[in-house]
Amino acid sequence: MKENSRKKKILESSSMLWHILIILYLISIVAYIVYFVICHKIFMIGFLIATLFMLSFELLIFIRDKIYKKDKAEK
């Protein structure tokens, strides 16, 4: 039983790391788009909208996961 708990914690921490990495990646894409707007006067509205949508969706999943784990830990 202890082994299952350890594996579950490892999987949860790995999942958390992937969420954080994806969020950082999407933020870097937004920064890249801003760079192109400022330096090259090229505005990629479709790319920006798609990236912001993916970022908001990933943040929603990340926050929901954090709240679920917090509620589960309190019980």
Side-chain angles (χ1 to χ4, degrees):
M1 185 138 185
K2 203 174 198 181
E3 185 70 26
N4 286 342
S5 176
R6 184 175 296 155
K7 284 182 183 180
K8 188 175 179 182
K9 284 185 180 185
I10 291 171
L11 287 174
E12 286 175 359
S13 65
S14 176
S15 172
M16 186 70 67
L17 177 65
W18 276 109
H19 281 297
I20 292 170
L21 289 174
I22 290 170
I23 290 168
L24 289 175
Y25 174 73
L26 292 171
I27 289 171
S28 69
I29 291 174
V30 171
Y32 180 72
I33 293 169
V34 170
Y35 163 77
F36 260 80
V37 168
I38 293 171
C39 294
H40 301 288
K41 307 295 186 235
I42 298 172
F43 186 55
M44 300 173 274
I45 187 73
F47 195 41
L48 179 64
I49 290 171
T51 304
L52 290 175
F53 174 76
M54 291 172 59
L55 180 61
S56 63
F57 190 72
E58 183 63 32
L59 283 170
L60 176 72
I61 293 170
F62 180 74
I63 292 169
R64 190 181 320 153
D65 240 14
K66 288 288 261 184
I67 291 171
Y68 174 74
K69 288 177 185 174
K70 183 180 175 186
D71 287 346
K72 194 174 180 183
E74 289 176 355
K75 289 182 180 179

